[in-house]
Every structure is written in C-alpha cells, then in structure tokens.
Amino acid sequence: GWWFNSMALLADGWHMSSHAVAIGVSALAYAAARRYANDQRFAFGTWKIEVLGGFASALFLLGVAGLMAVASLERLFAPQAIHYQEAMVVAVLGLVVNLVCAGILGQANHGHHHGHAHTHGHDHAHGHADLNLRAAYLHVVADAATSVLAIVALAGGWWYGWAWLDPVMGLVGAGLVAWWAKGLVQETSRVLLDCEMDHPVVDEIREAVLSAAAPGAVVLTDLHVWRVGSALYACDVVLSTTDSQLTANTVRQHLAIHEEIVHATIEIHHDTHH
C-alpha cells in the first residue's frame, strides 16, 4: 500500500495485518482456556477467557478503523500518484487469501455452533456460537470486503481517472470495519458484564421455580442468572413459601428439565404466618 501509494490498498493491508495479530490473540485465548481448564480458582470454568479474547480483538479492530479513517482523509485532501496496475495485482491476491481463510473459519464456526446445540425443547444454543471463533471469522470476512473495496477503487482510478475514489473507499472500509467491531464489542461485553437478565432462560427459571409448589404458595423474592458457558447458565434463587414441605431439592428437580442450568444456588424462606 505504501509502495504503490494506494490508500484503499493500504487500508486493506492495515486491516489484514491487524487481524493476523487478532487471530493470534484468539489462539492464545484457546490455549489459556485449555491450560487452566482444571484450575479450581476459576469457579465456573475458563470459557470467558475466550470471550475476553473476542472483546480484545474487537477493540483492536476499532483502533485500526480509526487509523484507516484518518489516513484516508489525509489522502483525500492531499492526493498522491497511484501505481494502479501493481496495486490491483496485490489487492486481488489479498482477496483470494481472505476468501480461502473465510471458508475455513466459516466451516469451523458452523460446526462449533451445532456442536453446542442440544435436543432440549428450547434451543438456547442459537446466538451463542463461540464468540472467540466468531471474532476471527468476522475479521477475515471484513478483510475480504475491504479487499473488494480496494479493487473497486483501483479499477475506478485506473480506468476512469477517479483518483478520489481510492481514499473514499478507504473511508468506507473504515466505517464497515468499525460497524462490525462495534457489534462484537456489544455482544462480548454483555457476557463479560453478566448482562443476561433479559434472556428467555430467565423466564423459564422463574416459571420452573413457581411451579415447584401449589399456585400462590411461592413468591420469588430474588433471582440472578448469568452465563458460564457458550449455552450454559448459573442462577441464584431466593424464594418465600407457605409450603412447609418445599425443599431446595424439589426446586432443583423442577429446574432439571432445563439442561442449560448447570449450577443453582437456592435459598428458601418458609413463611410461618400463613
């Protein structure tokens, strides 16, 4: 990109270089998750190491998008001569590499997603594919998109003399990268901050707890639900009941129909005034 003075190709190169680092972060996250898988200090396992890897990659990608935008604006106001033919060859080569990588990671992501699915009546695996693997996949898809933008920009400048198209496509690529990275930041940060109380599984837990005794005999006074795996959840339940026979084991039996609930802490207060 620097050698041939193409901002579109340079942005594509920055993008791909940053993703080489980002995918390396993903690999390190997997290695760390495996290494500490049996470490008792991690109360709910090491899955969130992978989520943290995806979050870090997304933040890094946002920074790259900002650099791309600034450099594109500089080239827009101070154009430089571009070596279109040579730059076009490099851009096409980059697109081919990205398409191959996207195909490989896409198959892995698809297979990993179905690997977490189960036959329970409620498919909570939907939307909970491996966020770390998805981060790597999105990186190479974004790379392929910016490679296409670079080719379009170079073709316009080469064939029609539209030199302004090169930095404009750099800006478009920066915006596209930032948009995708923002979505990944939001998704991974929800998991890292335990922002799960609007998930359908919360209503299912509430329903299961209330069904553990006769209608009206149980009042759910406190409930906390958080994710501890790709489609696995833990919960804290505090309830008040007029049913003197109700025990924590009874409540657990009602929760057991939801296979995604792997840990439950249950506190029961028996109301003796009724």
Side-chain angles (χ1 to χ4, degrees), residues 154-221:
L154 291 168
W158 186 10
W159 298 336
Y160 300 106
W162 297 343
W164 54 269
L165 196 57
D166 186 74
V168 166
M169 282 302 183
L171 285 172
V172 172
L176 188 62
V177 171
W179 177 260
W180 283 342
K182 176 190 173 187
L184 189 58
V185 166
Q186 290 175 332
E187 188 171 354
T188 52
S189 61
R190 278 180 58 87
V191 175
L192 294 173
L193 296 173
D194 297 321
C195 183
E196 300 286 349
M197 292 304 293
D198 59 346
H199 193 278
V201 74
V202 177
D203 290 333
E204 293 177 358
I205 292 173
R206 185 178 286 109
E207 180 182 347
V209 171
L210 294 178
S211 67
V218 175
V219 176
L220 188 59
T221 57

Side-chain angles (χ1 to χ4, degrees), residues 68-265:
M68 288 166 58
V70 170
S72 296
L73 288 172
E74 290 177 350
R75 295 294 182 92
L76 189 61
F77 293 106
Q80 298 184 23
I82 300 171
H83 302 279
Y84 288 107
Q85 295 181 2
E86 296 87 345
M88 181 70 80
V89 172
V90 177
V92 171
L93 178 61
L95 176 60
V96 171
V97 171
N98 286 320
L99 290 176
V100 171
C101 292
I104 294 171
L105 285 172
Q107 288 182 343
N109 191 40
H110 183 72
H112 196 89
H113 174 83
H114 286 285
H116 279 292
H118 50 73
T119 56
H120 183 56
H122 301 276
D123 182 15
H124 295 299
H126 178 70
H128 294 316
D130 188 321
L131 293 175
N132 194 38
L133 185 59
R134 180 167 177 260
Y137 174 68
L138 283 179
H139 284 325
V140 294
V141 169
D143 283 337
T146 52
S147 292
V148 171
L149 291 176
I151 292 170
V152 170
L154 291 168
W158 186 10
W159 298 336
Y160 300 106
W162 297 343
W164 54 269
L165 196 57
D166 186 74
V168 166
M169 282 302 183
L171 285 172
V172 172
L176 188 62
V177 171
W179 177 260
W180 283 342
K182 176 190 173 187
L184 189 58
V185 166
Q186 290 175 332
E187 188 171 354
T188 52
S189 61
R190 278 180 58 87
V191 175
L192 294 173
L193 296 173
D194 297 321
C195 183
E196 300 286 349
M197 292 304 293
D198 59 346
H199 193 278
V201 74
V202 177
D203 290 333
E204 293 177 358
I205 292 173
R206 185 178 286 109
E207 180 182 347
V209 171
L210 294 178
S211 67
V218 175
V219 176
L220 188 59
T221 57
D222 198 12
L223 175 62
H224 298 278
V225 180
W226 65 99
R227 209 185 323 173
V228 295
S230 182
L232 303 176
Y233 294 83
C235 65
D236 280 341
V237 178
V238 180
L239 56 90
S240 176
T241 180
T242 57
D243 184 351
S244 60
Q245 304 301 313
L246 184 63
T247 66
N249 285 335
T250 304
V251 176
R252 284 196 175 88
Q253 290 174 4
H254 281 75
L255 287 173
I257 63 172
H258 301 293
E259 299 171 5
E260 63 274 25
I261 307 301
V262 295
H263 178 84
T265 301

Side-chain angles (χ1 to χ4, degrees), residues 15-37:
H15 198 198
M16 293 175 69
S17 298
S18 70
H19 292 170
V21 175
I23 293 174
V25 170
S26 298
L28 289 174
Y30 283 130
R34 290 192 186 100
R35 178 179 179 181
Y36 296 106

